[in-house]
PDB file of all heavy atoms in Angstrom:
ATOM      1  N   VAL U  71      99.514  73.514 121.218  1.00  0.00           N
ATOM      2  CA  VAL U  71      98.483  72.809 121.995  1.00  0.00           C
ATOM      3  C   VAL U  71      98.274  71.393 121.466  1.00  0.00           C
ATOM      4  O   VAL U  71      98.194  70.430 122.233  1.00  0.00           O
ATOM      5  CB  VAL U  71      97.147  73.601 121.963  1.00  0.00           C
ATOM      6  CG1 VAL U  71      96.023  72.816 122.638  1.00  0.00           C
ATOM      7  CG2 VAL U  71      97.326  74.952 122.658  1.00  0.00           C
ATOM      8  N   TYR U  72      98.197  71.263 120.129  1.00  0.00           N
ATOM      9  CA  TYR U  72      97.885  69.961 119.531  1.00  0.00           C
ATOM     10  C   TYR U  72      99.008  68.928 119.719  1.00  0.00           C
ATOM     11  O   TYR U  72      98.746  67.765 120.040  1.00  0.00           O
ATOM     12  CB  TYR U  72      97.652  70.101 118.019  1.00  0.00           C
ATOM     13  CG  TYR U  72      96.391  70.797 117.587  1.00  0.00           C
ATOM     14  CD1 TYR U  72      96.313  71.386 116.309  1.00  0.00           C
ATOM     15  CD2 TYR U  72      95.254  70.872 118.390  1.00  0.00           C
ATOM     16  CE1 TYR U  72      95.150  72.013 115.860  1.00  0.00           C
ATOM     17  CE2 TYR U  72      94.097  71.507 117.963  1.00  0.00           C
ATOM     18  CZ  TYR U  72      94.051  72.081 116.693  1.00  0.00           C
ATOM     19  OH  TYR U  72      92.909  72.701 116.260  1.00  0.00           O
ATOM     20  N   LYS U  73     100.256  69.356 119.506  1.00  0.00           N
ATOM     21  CA  LYS U  73     101.356  68.375 119.419  1.00  0.00           C
ATOM     22  C   LYS U  73     101.547  67.573 120.714  1.00  0.00           C
ATOM     23  O   LYS U  73     101.636  66.335 120.670  1.00  0.00           O
ATOM     24  CB  LYS U  73     102.661  69.058 118.995  1.00  0.00           C
ATOM     25  CG  LYS U  73     103.746  68.043 118.616  1.00  0.00           C
ATOM     26  CD  LYS U  73     104.943  68.684 117.950  1.00  0.00           C
ATOM     27  CE  LYS U  73     105.930  67.620 117.470  1.00  0.00           C
ATOM     28  NZ  LYS U  73     106.440  66.755 118.532  1.00  0.00           N
ATOM     29  N   PRO U  74     101.607  68.224 121.896  1.00  0.00           N
ATOM     30  CA  PRO U  74     101.774  67.419 123.119  1.00  0.00           C
ATOM     31  C   PRO U  74     100.631  66.422 123.337  1.00  0.00           C
ATOM     32  O   PRO U  74     100.860  65.317 123.847  1.00  0.00           O
ATOM     33  CB  PRO U  74     101.784  68.469 124.239  1.00  0.00           C
ATOM     34  CG  PRO U  74     102.103  69.762 123.577  1.00  0.00           C
ATOM     35  CD  PRO U  74     101.578  69.673 122.193  1.00  0.00           C
ATOM     36  N   LEU U  75      99.428  66.795 122.938  1.00  0.00           N
ATOM     37  CA  LEU U  75      98.280  65.879 123.098  1.00  0.00           C
ATOM     38  C   LEU U  75      98.428  64.684 122.161  1.00  0.00           C
ATOM     39  O   LEU U  75      98.209  63.533 122.564  1.00  0.00           O
ATOM     40  CB  LEU U  75      96.967  66.618 122.811  1.00  0.00           C
ATOM     41  CG  LEU U  75      96.609  67.760 123.779  1.00  0.00           C
ATOM     42  CD1 LEU U  75      95.351  68.492 123.296  1.00  0.00           C
ATOM     43  CD2 LEU U  75      96.397  67.237 125.193  1.00  0.00           C
ATOM     44  N   LEU U  76      98.814  64.958 120.919  1.00  0.00           N
ATOM     45  CA  LEU U  76      99.003  63.871 119.945  1.00  0.00           C
ATOM     46  C   LEU U  76     100.177  62.976 120.350  1.00  0.00           C
ATOM     47  O   LEU U  76     100.107  61.753 120.246  1.00  0.00           O
ATOM     48  CB  LEU U  76      99.225  64.454 118.545  1.00  0.00           C
ATOM     49  CG  LEU U  76      98.016  65.191 117.941  1.00  0.00           C
ATOM     50  CD1 LEU U  76      98.435  66.043 116.755  1.00  0.00           C
ATOM     51  CD2 LEU U  76      96.917  64.203 117.532  1.00  0.00           C
ATOM     52  N   ASP U  77     101.265  63.608 120.848  1.00  0.00           N
ATOM     53  CA  ASP U  77     102.430  62.839 121.320  1.00  0.00           C
ATOM     54  C   ASP U  77     102.041  61.900 122.454  1.00  0.00           C
ATOM     55  O   ASP U  77     102.615  60.824 122.621  1.00  0.00           O
ATOM     56  CB  ASP U  77     103.545  63.785 121.806  1.00  0.00           C
ATOM     57  CG  ASP U  77     104.286  64.446 120.653  1.00  0.00           C
ATOM     58  OD1 ASP U  77     104.212  63.930 119.526  1.00  0.00           O
ATOM     59  OD2 ASP U  77     104.922  65.499 120.879  1.00  0.00           O
ATOM     60  N   ALA U  78     101.050  62.320 123.256  1.00  0.00           N
ATOM     61  CA  ALA U  78     100.598  61.514 124.403  1.00  0.00           C
ATOM     62  C   ALA U  78      99.550  60.478 123.990  1.00  0.00           C
ATOM     63  O   ALA U  78      98.970  59.799 124.839  1.00  0.00           O
ATOM     64  CB  ALA U  78     100.027  62.435 125.483  1.00  0.00           C
ATOM     65  N   GLY U  79      99.303  60.380 122.674  1.00  0.00           N
ATOM     66  CA  GLY U  79      98.377  59.360 122.182  1.00  0.00           C
ATOM     67  C   GLY U  79      96.910  59.741 122.282  1.00  0.00           C
ATOM     68  O   GLY U  79      96.030  58.881 122.185  1.00  0.00           O
ATOM     69  N   LYS U  80      96.641  61.034 122.449  1.00  0.00           N
ATOM     70  CA  LYS U  80      95.251  61.492 122.564  1.00  0.00           C
ATOM     71  C   LYS U  80      94.651  61.751 121.183  1.00  0.00           C
ATOM     72  O   LYS U  80      95.362  62.071 120.230  1.00  0.00           O
ATOM     73  CB  LYS U  80      95.178  62.801 123.359  1.00  0.00           C
ATOM     74  CG  LYS U  80      95.886  62.776 124.700  1.00  0.00           C
ATOM     75  CD  LYS U  80      95.079  62.076 125.754  1.00  0.00           C
ATOM     76  CE  LYS U  80      95.672  62.304 127.141  1.00  0.00           C
ATOM     77  NZ  LYS U  80      94.989  61.569 128.168  1.00  0.00           N
ATOM     78  N   GLU U  81      93.326  61.656 121.109  1.00  0.00           N
ATOM     79  CA  GLU U  81      92.591  62.139 119.938  1.00  0.00           C
ATOM     80  C   GLU U  81      92.075  63.539 120.282  1.00  0.00           C
ATOM     81  O   GLU U  81      91.918  63.875 121.467  1.00  0.00           O
ATOM     82  CB  GLU U  81      91.423  61.212 119.620  1.00  0.00           C
ATOM     83  CG  GLU U  81      91.856  59.819 119.211  1.00  0.00           C
ATOM     84  CD  GLU U  81      90.688  58.968 118.714  1.00  0.00           C
ATOM     85  OE1 GLU U  81      89.762  59.520 118.096  1.00  0.00           O
ATOM     86  OE2 GLU U  81      90.707  57.758 118.970  1.00  0.00           O
ATOM     87  N   ILE U  82      91.776  64.348 119.256  1.00  0.00           N
ATOM     88  CA  ILE U  82      91.382  65.746 119.496  1.00  0.00           C
ATOM     89  C   ILE U  82      90.142  66.100 118.691  1.00  0.00           C
ATOM     90  O   ILE U  82      90.046  65.775 117.497  1.00  0.00           O
ATOM     91  CB  ILE U  82      92.524  66.719 119.111  1.00  0.00           C
ATOM     92  CG1 ILE U  82      93.794  66.428 119.919  1.00  0.00           C
ATOM     93  CG2 ILE U  82      92.087  68.182 119.318  1.00  0.00           C
ATOM     94  CD1 ILE U  82      95.034  67.192 119.428  1.00  0.00           C
ATOM     95  N   VAL U  83      89.206  66.782 119.346  1.00  0.00           N
ATOM     96  CA  VAL U  83      88.114  67.467 118.646  1.00  0.00           C
ATOM     97  C   VAL U  83      88.283  68.952 118.966  1.00  0.00           C
ATOM     98  O   VAL U  83      88.284  69.347 120.136  1.00  0.00           O
ATOM     99  CB  VAL U  83      86.726  66.964 119.106  1.00  0.00           C
ATOM    100  CG1 VAL U  83      85.617  67.804 118.480  1.00  0.00           C
ATOM    101  CG2 VAL U  83      86.542  65.492 118.737  1.00  0.00           C
ATOM    102  N   SER U  84      88.462  69.754 117.925  1.00  0.00           N
ATOM    103  CA  SER U  84      88.777  71.173 118.080  1.00  0.00           C
ATOM    104  C   SER U  84      87.614  72.000 117.522  1.00  0.00           C
ATOM    105  O   SER U  84      87.285  71.906 116.336  1.00  0.00           O
ATOM    106  CB  SER U  84      90.075  71.458 117.302  1.00  0.00           C
ATOM    107  OG  SER U  84      90.716  72.612 117.728  1.00  0.00           O
ATOM    108  N   LEU U  85      86.970  72.791 118.390  1.00  0.00           N
ATOM    109  CA  LEU U  85      85.739  73.513 118.030  1.00  0.00           C
ATOM    110  C   LEU U  85      85.988  75.018 118.063  1.00  0.00           C
ATOM    111  O   LEU U  85      86.473  75.542 119.074  1.00  0.00           O
ATOM    112  CB  LEU U  85      84.628  73.176 119.032  1.00  0.00           C
ATOM    113  CG  LEU U  85      84.327  71.688 119.265  1.00  0.00           C
ATOM    114  CD1 LEU U  85      83.377  71.516 120.439  1.00  0.00           C
ATOM    115  CD2 LEU U  85      83.722  71.073 118.014  1.00  0.00           C
ATOM    116  N   HIS U  86      85.589  75.705 116.983  1.00  0.00           N
ATOM    117  CA  HIS U  86      85.977  77.126 116.887  1.00  0.00           C
ATOM    118  C   HIS U  86      84.871  78.045 116.394  1.00  0.00           C
ATOM    119  O   HIS U  86      83.870  77.606 115.836  1.00  0.00           O
ATOM    120  CB  HIS U  86      87.227  77.244 116.023  1.00  0.00           C
ATOM    121  CG  HIS U  86      88.356  76.501 116.638  1.00  0.00           C
ATOM    122  ND1 HIS U  86      88.973  76.941 117.788  1.00  0.00           N
ATOM    123  CD2 HIS U  86      88.913  75.298 116.335  1.00  0.00           C
ATOM    124  CE1 HIS U  86      89.888  76.043 118.149  1.00  0.00           C
ATOM    125  NE2 HIS U  86      89.866  75.040 117.290  1.00  0.00           N
ATOM    126  N   LEU U  87      85.121  79.347 116.630  1.00  0.00           N
ATOM    127  CA  LEU U  87      84.163  80.359 116.209  1.00  0.00           C
ATOM    128  C   LEU U  87      84.072  80.400 114.685  1.00  0.00           C
ATOM    129  O   LEU U  87      84.947  79.883 113.995  1.00  0.00           O
ATOM    130  CB  LEU U  87      84.528  81.727 116.787  1.00  0.00           C
ATOM    131  CG  LEU U  87      85.603  82.613 116.147  1.00  0.00           C
ATOM    132  CD1 LEU U  87      85.498  84.044 116.705  1.00  0.00           C
ATOM    133  CD2 LEU U  87      87.001  82.084 116.388  1.00  0.00           C
ATOM    134  N   PRO U  88      83.013  81.004 114.129  1.00  0.00           N
ATOM    135  CA  PRO U  88      82.746  80.886 112.689  1.00  0.00           C
ATOM    136  C   PRO U  88      83.863  81.430 111.797  1.00  0.00           C
ATOM    137  O   PRO U  88      84.416  82.503 112.072  1.00  0.00           O
ATOM    138  CB  PRO U  88      81.469  81.731 112.501  1.00  0.00           C
ATOM    139  CG  PRO U  88      80.873  81.892 113.851  1.00  0.00           C
ATOM    140  CD  PRO U  88      81.995  81.801 114.828  1.00  0.00           C
ATOM    141  N   SER U  89      84.151  80.693 110.734  1.00  0.00           N
ATOM    142  CA  SER U  89      85.152  81.165 109.765  1.00  0.00           C
ATOM    143  C   SER U  89      84.672  82.438 109.053  1.00  0.00           C
ATOM    144  O   SER U  89      85.475  83.183 108.507  1.00  0.00           O
ATOM    145  CB  SER U  89      85.475  80.076 108.740  1.00  0.00           C
ATOM    146  OG  SER U  89      84.302  79.667 108.069  1.00  0.00           O
ATOM    147  N   LYS U  90      83.346  82.701 109.093  1.00  0.00           N
ATOM    148  CA  LYS U  90      82.816  83.945 108.514  1.00  0.00           C
ATOM    149  C   LYS U  90      83.277  85.161 109.321  1.00  0.00           C
ATOM    150  O   LYS U  90      83.295  86.273 108.812  1.00  0.00           O
ATOM    151  CB  LYS U  90      81.280  83.925 108.515  1.00  0.00           C
ATOM    152  CG  LYS U  90      80.646  82.977 107.517  1.00  0.00           C
ATOM    153  CD  LYS U  90      79.132  83.005 107.662  1.00  0.00           C
ATOM    154  CE  LYS U  90      78.471  82.033 106.693  1.00  0.00           C
ATOM    155  NZ  LYS U  90      77.008  81.975 106.880  1.00  0.00           N
ATOM    156  N   LEU U  91      83.596  84.942 110.593  1.00  0.00           N
ATOM    157  CA  LEU U  91      83.956  86.062 111.472  1.00  0.00           C
ATOM    158  C   LEU U  91      85.443  86.124 111.802  1.00  0.00           C
ATOM    159  O   LEU U  91      85.925  87.146 112.275  1.00  0.00           O
ATOM    160  CB  LEU U  91      83.173  85.961 112.795  1.00  0.00           C
ATOM    161  CG  LEU U  91      81.649  86.110 112.721  1.00  0.00           C
ATOM    162  CD1 LEU U  91      81.039  85.945 114.105  1.00  0.00           C
ATOM    163  CD2 LEU U  91      81.260  87.460 112.132  1.00  0.00           C
ATOM    164  N   SER U  92      86.174  85.022 111.603  1.00  0.00           N
ATOM    165  CA  SER U  92      87.570  84.976 112.043  1.00  0.00           C
ATOM    166  C   SER U  92      88.361  83.954 111.231  1.00  0.00           C
ATOM    167  O   SER U  92      87.794  82.994 110.719  1.00  0.00           O
ATOM    168  CB  SER U  92      87.606  84.589 113.533  1.00  0.00           C
ATOM    169  OG  SER U  92      88.906  84.248 113.945  1.00  0.00           O
ATOM    170  N   GLY U  93      89.659  84.163 111.199  1.00  0.00           N
ATOM    171  CA  GLY U  93      90.543  83.203 110.514  1.00  0.00           C
ATOM    172  C   GLY U  93      91.027  82.089 111.430  1.00  0.00           C
ATOM    173  O   GLY U  93      91.928  81.324 111.069  1.00  0.00           O
ATOM    174  N   THR U  94      90.429  81.974 112.629  1.00  0.00           N
ATOM    175  CA  THR U  94      90.886  80.990 113.625  1.00  0.00           C
ATOM    176  C   THR U  94      90.788  79.560 113.100  1.00  0.00           C
ATOM    177  O   THR U  94      91.726  78.761 113.238  1.00  0.00           O
ATOM    178  CB  THR U  94      90.060  81.143 114.927  1.00  0.00           C
ATOM    179  OG1 THR U  94      90.243  82.481 115.406  1.00  0.00           O
ATOM    180  CG2 THR U  94      90.497  80.160 115.992  1.00  0.00           C
ATOM    181  N   TYR U  95      89.658  79.225 112.472  1.00  0.00           N
ATOM    182  CA  TYR U  95      89.457  77.878 111.925  1.00  0.00           C
ATOM    183  C   TYR U  95      90.533  77.569 110.869  1.00  0.00           C
ATOM    184  O   TYR U  95      91.102  76.475 110.850  1.00  0.00           O
ATOM    185  CB  TYR U  95      88.052  77.770 111.330  1.00  0.00           C
ATOM    186  CG  TYR U  95      87.794  76.502 110.549  1.00  0.00           C
ATOM    187  CD1 TYR U  95      87.623  75.287 111.190  1.00  0.00           C
ATOM    188  CD2 TYR U  95      87.719  76.532 109.149  1.00  0.00           C
ATOM    189  CE1 TYR U  95      87.388  74.122 110.467  1.00  0.00           C
ATOM    190  CE2 TYR U  95      87.476  75.375 108.416  1.00  0.00           C
ATOM    191  CZ  TYR U  95      87.316  74.175 109.077  1.00  0.00           C
ATOM    192  OH  TYR U  95      87.087  73.024 108.360  1.00  0.00           O
ATOM    193  N   ALA U  96      90.831  78.558 110.027  1.00  0.00           N
ATOM    194  CA  ALA U  96      91.854  78.363 108.979  1.00  0.00           C
ATOM    195  C   ALA U  96      93.224  78.103 109.611  1.00  0.00           C
ATOM    196  O   ALA U  96      93.985  77.256 109.132  1.00  0.00           O
ATOM    197  CB  ALA U  96      91.916  79.591 108.068  1.00  0.00           C
TER     198      ALA U  96
END
Side-chain angles (χ1 to χ4, degrees):
V71 174
Y72 289 157
K73 192 169 186 301
L75 295 175
L76 294 164
D77 285 341
K80 308 282 191 184
E81 295 188 34
I82 301 170
V83 173
S84 201
L85 307 171
H86 299 289
L87 81 165
S89 58
K90 288 177 181 176
L91 295 178
S92 167
T94 301
Y95 171 73

